[in-house]
Amino acid sequence: MSGIRVVEVGAFMAAPFATMQLADLGATVIKVENPQGGDQVRAIGPFTAGHSSPFARLNRNKRSIALDLKSEQGAAAFRRLVQDADVLVENLRPGAMRKLGLGYDDLRRLNPRLVYVSASGWGQDGPLAHLPGLDIMAQARGGLMSVTGMPDGDPVKVGVPIADLVCGLYGALGAVSALQARHTTGQGQHVDVSLLESAVSFAIWEAGKYFATGEVGRPLGSAHQSTAPYQAIRTADGWCTVGAVTPKTWQGLCAALGLPELLADERYADAHDRHGLRHELIPAIERVTAARTTADVVAALDAHGVPCAPISDYSQVFNDEHLGQRRFFWDAEHPEMGPVRQLGSAMRFSGTPTRRGPAGPLLGADTVEVLRECGLTEQEIDRLLAEGAAAQSPTPLESS
């Protein structure tokens, strides 16, 4: 993505996560923030040296410009910024950018090659479009909370903001695809991604079952929708997961755990049939695993080629030997926080590795430099700063 210029008008997760992907891939990302406090994530802790730890990770490899888009002068400077941009990513409520005179139809007249990505809770149109939408609402309406958790338990959301994050991934993929299409058409386009449709797009197994049989998915804890054993198994000191759903891995599990009687039982010969008998199969397996440590069970299953893994908490994940050897984690420099440990990109390229640059910028750190690049004179920049339509760091940041 080197040579691609991206403008972000984002807050919280979806748009910033989308542009983080593009920045990791080499794009120049300019984050446009309100001079009064900036992205709300700046005010969310924990804090290091007065700065938001989550913000420093979510906004790595980006530049920050502080502009008041509600002011005539700030909006005019924004148009200058977008005039030479390749991509704009925003996740304000539908219609908000249009009210500022900065919607897709407004900006494509200024820059016909602009790819304009809008991320929102429910999409840019439809009966829900005007409503606020956060990750948990998308997980709820999108069905995820209906299949997450234990049977007969309270509703449970996925532990991370999955709809927000995947909406960001779809936004990044949409931007890259629209840029590719631009090579043929010469024109940009509007890309509409939503948290709701991102959440519903996960329902591969549930859709397969419902559209084939009319059966509605329900919470199954950690169990698979149609095969077994494929779930968490109790051990003497915790839990591990196992996926013995092929004939070979089922044989391996029975050999690893010393359960020849299960292998000989014809009722368990097929993974689908085993799923229907989970209520007796899993206790039979756990009678063995509950007397052995997680490490012992995983080692035995590994030796027999059975897919398995311990259930790690994040202190274990962030110190995982495998991830360490693959150099997944890395430190990004911040002018006041010092080194900020980062989660690596999940994309690995043999020839064009992802960027490992600075941590999330100070609010307005690049305002003057970016405005100069847009062709504004020193007098115009000084006037923007004097009138409060723009700001530059150091700017006091909220810390509580």
Side-chain angles (χ1 to χ4, degrees):
M1 299 290 286
S2 178
I4 297 297
R5 194 172 178 87
V6 178
V7 176
E8 176 206 309
V9 183
F12 290 112
M13 299 296 285
F17 195 66
T19 58
M20 187 186 82
Q21 311 306 317
L22 301 178
D24 283 356
L25 295 174
T28 296
V29 175
I30 300 169
K31 185 179 180 72
V32 179
E33 303 182 71
N34 189 313
Q36 304 301 316
D39 184 339
Q40 295 94 318
V41 175
R42 288 188 182 273
I44 297 177
F47 299 93
T48 301
H51 298 281
S52 166
S53 177
F55 180 91
R57 289 163 172 82
L58 185 58
N59 292 282
R60 66 184 182 221
N61 294 325
K62 301 179 187 179
R63 305 165 77 190
S64 172
I65 176 172
L67 282 179
D68 181 2
L69 300 184
K70 293 182 180 179
S71 72
E72 182 178 342
Q73 300 90 339
F78 182 82
R79 292 187 186 94
R80 296 277 288 274
L81 176 62
V82 171
Q83 192 165 358
D84 295 321
D86 296 289
V87 179
L88 185 149
V89 182
E90 60 92 8
N91 66 336
L92 305 185
R93 194 179 299 189
M97 290 289 280
R98 188 170 58 252
K99 289 179 182 178
L100 297 171
L102 304 173
Y104 173 62
D105 289 334
D106 302 302
L107 297 183
R108 72 171 174 174
R109 287 191 288 270
L110 182 67
N111 180 358
R113 291 173 56 81
L114 181 67
V115 172
Y116 193 116
V117 180
S118 295
S120 62
W122 314 111
Q124 298 299 303
D125 54 23
L128 302 177
H130 68 287
L131 297 175
L134 303 178
D135 175 83
I136 192 172
M137 289 85 201
Q139 290 200 37
R141 189 180 285 271
L144 291 180
M145 292 180 67
S146 76
V147 295
T148 304
M150 299 301 293
D152 302 319
D154 293 340
V156 177
K157 73 176 184 68
V158 179
V160 298
I162 192 72
D164 248 330
L165 296 174
V166 173
C167 182
L169 290 178
Y170 282 139
L173 178 61
V176 171
S177 300
L179 288 172
Q180 175 64 23
R182 193 177 72 175
H183 287 308
T184 302
T185 66
Q187 300 291 310
Q189 59 182 296
H190 191 199
V191 180
D192 174 3
V193 291
S194 72
L195 273 63
L196 175 62
E197 288 162 357
S198 297
V200 176
S201 73
F202 292 130
I204 303 301
W205 292 106
E206 289 73 22
K209 183 176 291 185
Y210 178 78
F211 289 124
T213 69
E215 184 179 349
V216 178
R218 298 294 183 219
L220 296 171
S222 63
H224 192 274
Q225 295 91 333
S226 58
T227 63
Y230 186 103
Q231 65 178 81
I233 300 293
R234 189 182 302 275
T235 66
D237 59 353
W239 298 81
C240 69
T241 56
V242 63
V245 297
T246 66
K248 184 176 181 179
T249 55
W250 170 241
Q251 294 166 14
L253 179 140
C254 293
L257 301 181
L259 293 169
E261 67 278 11
L262 297 186
L263 185 61
D265 192 330
E266 293 184 357
R267 297 178 304 150
Y268 298 145
D270 179 81
H272 182 75
D273 292 337
R274 292 196 295 271
H275 185 268
L277 295 170
R278 283 190 342 277
H279 62 284
E280 59 181 58
L281 173 62
I282 301 306
I285 293 173
E286 288 184 337
R287 279 194 287 272
V288 174
T289 60
R292 301 166 66 172
T293 66
T294 298
D296 180 35
V297 172
V298 169
L301 294 172
D302 279 341
H304 285 78
V306 181
C308 63
I311 296 180
S312 302
D313 63 31
Y314 277 116
S315 68
Q316 296 167 312
V317 172
F318 297 150
N319 293 281
D320 185 86
E321 179 183 7
H322 176 80
L323 293 171
Q325 288 192 16
R326 284 174 58 81
R327 299 182 63 246
F328 180 76
F329 304 109
W330 57 282
D331 291 331
E333 286 299 322
H334 186 276
E336 297 181 8
M337 300 171 72
V340 179
R341 179 54 51 109
Q342 299 284 329
L343 305 179
S345 172
M347 296 173 282
R348 289 177 175 265
F349 298 86
S350 63
T352 55
T354 52
R355 177 191 293 167
R356 295 192 167 190
L362 298 175
L363 176 59
D366 306 288
T367 297
V368 172
E369 183 181 5
V370 170
L371 291 177
R372 284 174 182 154
E373 292 171 1
C374 294
L376 273 71
T377 66
E378 296 299 320
Q379 292 77 13
E380 289 174 317
I381 295 172
D382 289 342
R383 186 164 60 251
L384 283 166
L385 295 171
E387 294 176 355
Q392 62 178 330
S393 64
T395 300
L397 302 179
E398 297 182 46
S399 59
S400 62

